[in-house]
Amino acid sequence: MKNLLVTGGAGFIGSNFIHYMQKQNADIRIVNLDALTYAGSLENLKDLPRPEQHLFVHGSITDRALLDQLFSEHKIDTVVNFAAESHVDRSILNPGVFVDTNVIVPVEGARFHHVSTDEVFGTLTREDPPFEEETPYAPRSPYAAAKASSDHFVRAYQTTFGLPISISNCSNNYGPRQFPEKLIPLMILNALNGKPLPVYGDGMQIRDWLYVDDHCEAILRILQDGREGETYCVGGDNQPPNIEIVKTICDILDELQPDSAFAPHSQLITYVADRPGHDRRYDINIAKIERELGWKPSHDLRQGLVDTVRWYLSNPAWVEAITKQSDYDNWLKKNYSDRKA
Ligand code: NAD
Ligand code: DAU
């Protein structure tokens, strides 16, 4: 792996992956193709450890001519595909763009790793066993359906054209540089500003939270030693209900900002109308990646949340730039103003 093409590398996980890879491998050259949608920003790439080994290209993964040009100009040997529309709530309000962006066909000519999600497996009851690589697909939101479709295309390209592929299906990530439409950064920023903390439904839905650097490490292990054609499930082994995550964020802010006019921050918690088709519970079995590649998460959830809250407190310029660039206030209005309890 010498010349890596990262797609969607100006977004949350993609940019963390580029930071991570530059720390791990001093020689690798990275071409980063990103369309800079509302979720992508060059702010996420400002403090790279080796900026001279990173080339940003503004463009879309749907532009095949551009991809061909990048492949031949930069002798790309490996692709890691993060580019996607990633927010379930947006897929409910505007599904079309999820079909346009997320239903990808892979690029031929290099090892192709596709970053996918546990949401392709649908939802679990309290009694169901965790998702694993063999769990049948049963996506329930437009976002998850489009991601499932791309997973099928990637596998079909391996079967039909012999493309060397791999796929990871990962659970919910959190950490620095996450766009504040997602639960954890939204709650941190709303709490800091004394705004309501909108908990969907009864707040007892369960996600399997993973610190973003752990996900980056899992992808690197798959690229290095993963078997071609294989799928690996990646998860955090952390399954508290949403309300517990929100309360923990409030506690951390109470500790870090004891003089805040909004403390105790838990007074801001507000139950609001549920997400339509809301998946109840995710849990993911990581036995395969642990057994084959020796990977398991290394970040403790509470410590990861403290680090994440500290990161948002220390980066007000990032928050200001990101929210300005992305028409953020409009999104908040659109998604939350009619969401009565
Ligand atoms: P994000 O929304 O923060 O970033 C997505 C990036 O893709 C943005 O920079 C955006 O500009 C770019 N993009 C969108 N359309 C594009 C296009 N047509 N061409 C090129 N770039 C385009 O998303 P994220 O949370 O970083 O997720 C990255 C990937 O990981 C997605 O594929 C997502 O499905 C998957 N994933 C996310 C999570 C999670 O918890 N966030 C968990 C599992 C898997
Ligand atoms: O499981 C992996 C997936 O995790 C990724 O594939 C997606 O890209 C990523 O967005 C994430 O999807 P979720 O829908 O689980 O993440 P989100 O942060 O939007 O919501 C997490 C939980 O919190 C979910 O049960 C909905 C709830 N929630 C979310 C928001 C934004 C609230 O209660 N209130 C909110 O305001």
Side-chain angles (χ1 to χ4, degrees), residues 11-13 34-35 37 40 60-61 82 86 116 143 147 170-171 173:
F12 163 51
I13 309 176
D34 195 295
T37 67
S60 172
I61 45 164
F82 293 94
S86 68
S116 191
Y143 162 71
K147 290 295 291 186
C170 186
S171 60
N173 286 213

Side-chain angles (χ1 to χ4, degrees), residues 86-89 117-119 143 170-172 181-183 186-187 198-200 205 207 209 242 275 278 282 336:
S86 68
H87 192 34
V88 173
D89 289 327
T117 170
D118 59 357
E119 301 203 9
Y143 162 71
C170 186
S171 60
N172 288 60
E181 64 191 350
K182 307 285 165 56
L183 180 75
L186 178 97
M187 295 297 167
V199 173
Y200 294 167
Q205 305 83 5
R207 299 293 183 264
W209 295 97
N242 291 341
R275 174 185 278 174
H278 199 168
Y282 303 148
Y336 295 97

